[in-house]
C-alpha cells in the first residue's frame, strides 16, 4: 500500500424510522503509519472505532472486508463492537443485516478518469439500490430494517477533495424478493474541485435511477455545472437538467482522509431534506422532496460556493 493512502467502503441503509451508515476503512499516512477503522452514523449519533492494521483483511474477488469481528460482503453486514470510553462514552454495537441483489452500473462511474494515474480520489458505486433486512443494536437502541433500502460505494486514493458537494437519496420501498411498490427514485451526485498535475477543474459524477432506467451525467459526458452553492446545484448535459435544492438537515462529524491521514473532519447530514428535479427535453420527469437524503458539503475557504 502506498504512503499517503486510504480506502473505504460506505454502506447506507434506511427504513421508515431509522437510518444507518457504516464505513469500513484503512489508511496509511505519509510517515508510513497504518491503521483501520469503522465509522458509524445514525440520524443523531456518530462514532469512530479504531483498530490496529492487523485487524484488517479483504478479499476483492468475492468482496469481503473484515475488521476485527466485523465484516461486510455483497450479502451481509455484521457488527460486533464493544469498547469502553470512546470520547468519554462506552459503545456497544451488535447485529446483522442481509442484502438483496445489488444494482450495479454497466461501467465505472468515473468513466475514463478511472484509469488516470495519480488521481487524488477514485470513486466507485457498488450498488445504487438494494433491499435490506435485519437489525442493529447501538447502545441498547434497536434499529430495525424490515424491509429497508440500501446504497453502497467505495473511495480510495490519498485525499478527499478540498471542496466538494455530495448527495445521495433513495425513495420508495423495496422488499427482499426484488418487488417494488411506489414511485422509486435513486440518485447519487457529486461536484468537486479536482487537482491533477498542476491544473484544477470542477468535475461532476451523477447517476439517476427512475422507473428501471439509469441516467448518467458526468464531466466526461459533457455535463456543465451551472450553479453550485451550499443550497443549490444545477447540472445540464444535452437534454438533461438536474436541479438539487438542499433544504434542511443537521450534520454529524465524519473523519475524512488528507494525504492518508484521517484527521480531517467533515460533516455529513445522514437524514436531510432535499428536493431533486430531473427534466429531459424541457419536460419534468420527476420532482421529489425526500426527508431521508444524505448530504456532505465541504469547502476549502469560508465561502458559500466551491
Amino acid at each position: 500500500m502506498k504512503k499517503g493512502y486510504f480506502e473505504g467502503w460506505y454502506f447506507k441503509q434506511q427504513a421508515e424510522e431509522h437510518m444507518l451508515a457504516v464505513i469500513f476503512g484503512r489508511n496509511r499516512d505519509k510517515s508510513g503509519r497504518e491503521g483501520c477503522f469503522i465509522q458509524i452514523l445514525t440520524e443523531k449519533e456518530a462514532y469512530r472505532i479504531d483498530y490496529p492494521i492487523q485487524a484488517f483483511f479483504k478479499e476483492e474477488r468475492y468482496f469481503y472486508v473484515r475488521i476485527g469481528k466485523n465484516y461486510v460482503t455483497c450479502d451481509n453486514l455484521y457488527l460486533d463492537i464493544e469498547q469502553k470510553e470512546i470520547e468519554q462514552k462506552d459503545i456497544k454495537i451488535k447485529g446483522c443485516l442481509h442484502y438483496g441483489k445489488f444494482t450495479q452500473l454497466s461501467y465505472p462511474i468515473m468513466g475514463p478518469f478511472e484509469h488516470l494515474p495519480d488521481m487524488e480520489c477514485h470513486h466507485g458505486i457498488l450498488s445504487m439500490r438494494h433491499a435490506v433486512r435485519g437489525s442493529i443494536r447501538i447502545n441498547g437502541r434497536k434499529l430495525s430494517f424490515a424491509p429497508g433500502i440500501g446504497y453502497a460505494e467505495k473511495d480510495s486514493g490519498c485525499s478527499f477533495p478540498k471542496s466538494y458537494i455530495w448527495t445521495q437519496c433513495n425513495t420508495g420501498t423495496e422488499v427482499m424478493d426484488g418487488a417494488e411498490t411506489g414511485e422509486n427514485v435513486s440518485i447519487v451526485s457529486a461536484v468537486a474541485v479536482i487537482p491533477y498535475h498542476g491544473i484544477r477543474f470542477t468535475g461532476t459524477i451523477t447517476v439517476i435511477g427512475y422507473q428501471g432506467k439509469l441516467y448518467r451525467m458526468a464531466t466526461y459526458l459533457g455535463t456543465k455545472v451551472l450553479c453550485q452553492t451550499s443550497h443549490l446545484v444545477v447540472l445540464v448535459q444535452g437534454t438533461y437538467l438536474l436541479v438539487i435544492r438542499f433544504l434542511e438537515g443537521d450534520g454529524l462529524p465524519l473523519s475524512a482522509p488528507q494525504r492518508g491521514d484521517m484527521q480531517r473532519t467533515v460533516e455529513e447530514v445522514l437524514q436531510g431534506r432535499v428536493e431533486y428535479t430531473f427534466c429531459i427535453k424541457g419536460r419534468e420527469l420527476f420532482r421529489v422532496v425526500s426527508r431521508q437524503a444524505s448530504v456532505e458539503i465541504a469547502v476549502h475557504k469560508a465561502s458559500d460556493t466551491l
Side-chain angles (χ1 to χ4, degrees):
M1 187 166 58
K2 299 177 181 178
K3 288 186 178 180
Y5 179 83
F6 83 95
E7 58 182 335
W9 297 262
Y10 175 97
F11 285 78
K12 173 186 167 184
Q13 24 275 315
Q14 65 188 66
E16 287 188 9
E17 298 181 356
H18 305 297
M19 296 189 71
L20 172 70
V22 180
I23 302 169
F24 284 65
R26 68 166 176 169
N27 71 297
R28 180 173 185 170
D29 66 22
K30 59 184 179 180
S31 69
R33 289 174 297 188
E34 294 183 81
C36 57
F37 56 87
I38 297 174
Q39 296 195 73
I40 308 285
L41 281 81
T42 70
E43 311 95 295
K44 300 178 181 180
E45 305 164 300
Y47 302 98
R48 171 177 157 181
I49 304 94
D50 293 309
Y51 295 83
I53 192 62
Q54 292 79 8
F56 179 86
F57 174 81
K58 74 171 180 177
E59 170 53 63
E60 296 221 27
R61 182 178 178 183
Y62 301 103
F63 184 63
Y64 174 82
V65 179
R66 187 187 73 231
I67 297 179
K69 298 178 181 179
N70 313 276
Y71 66 86
V72 62
T73 72
C74 292
D75 299 315
N76 300 288
L77 184 149
Y78 177 77
L79 296 176
D80 187 354
I81 300 169
E82 186 169 4
Q83 293 194 18
K84 300 290 185 179
E85 296 182 0
I86 296 180
E87 296 183 354
Q88 299 181 341
K89 55 186 175 183
D90 297 345
I91 178 171
K92 185 174 182 179
I93 303 174
K94 190 167 185 177
C96 186
L97 301 177
H98 305 283
Y99 294 148
K101 184 179 179 181
F102 279 13
T103 301
Q104 300 176 317
L105 303 185
S106 59
Y107 64 94
I109 183 59
M110 290 185 65
F113 291 104
E114 175 77 13
H115 305 291
L116 288 181
D118 305 321
M119 288 288 287
E120 183 179 53
C121 183
H122 285 267
H123 187 77
I125 294 176
L126 303 177
S127 175
M128 284 290 293
R129 185 186 188 99
H130 53 268
V132 181
R133 64 177 173 84
S135 63
I136 302 287
R137 284 191 178 273
I138 300 180
N139 293 341
R141 178 190 174 207
K142 184 178 181 181
L143 279 64
S144 179
F145 301 92
I149 305 172
Y151 166 82
E153 66 179 36
K154 177 188 177 180
D155 289 284
S156 63
C158 63
S159 303
F160 271 11
K162 290 182 178 179
S163 299
Y164 69 91
I165 294 174
W166 170 91
T167 183
Q168 190 279 327
C169 174
N170 277 318
T171 70
T173 60
E174 187 142 358
V175 296
M176 288 299 290
D177 61 8
E180 300 179 353
T181 60
E183 186 172 77
N184 296 333
V185 173
S186 300
I187 295 177
V188 60
S189 181
V191 179
V193 175
I194 309 298
Y196 190 73
H197 289 283
I199 64 172
R200 290 164 60 90
F201 64 95
T202 299
T204 181
I205 47 176
T206 296
V207 180
I208 302 158
Y210 181 67
Q211 292 186 343
K213 185 175 181 180
L214 294 179
Y215 302 86
R216 187 184 297 231
M217 302 177 72
T219 299
Y220 56 83
L221 295 176
T223 296
K224 295 181 180 179
V225 182
L226 299 187
C227 180
Q228 51 188 33
T229 75
S230 60
H231 304 289
L232 177 69
V233 169
V234 181
L235 306 177
V236 63
Q237 175 185 298
T239 60
Y240 295 174
L241 173 68
L242 177 65
V243 180
I244 305 172
R245 299 182 186 275
F246 306 106
L247 303 177
E248 62 181 345
D250 297 322
L252 292 169
L254 186 70
S255 295
Q258 186 167 357
R259 297 183 180 178
D261 195 333
M262 296 299 297
Q263 296 306 308
R264 180 184 178 190
T265 300
V266 298
E267 285 196 348
E268 176 168 333
V269 178
L270 184 63
Q271 186 177 39
R273 192 164 71 94
V274 179
E275 179 187 78
Y276 304 90
T277 304
F278 183 51
C279 303
I280 299 179
K281 295 181 179 180
R283 181 176 66 88
E284 186 176 290
L285 201 63
F286 66 78
R287 182 194 302 262
V288 297
V289 177
S290 174
R291 295 183 178 275
Q292 291 188 309
S294 299
V295 181
E296 285 180 29
I297 300 177
V299 293
H300 184 48
K301 297 180 180 179
S303 168
D304 192 49
T305 66
L306 290 178

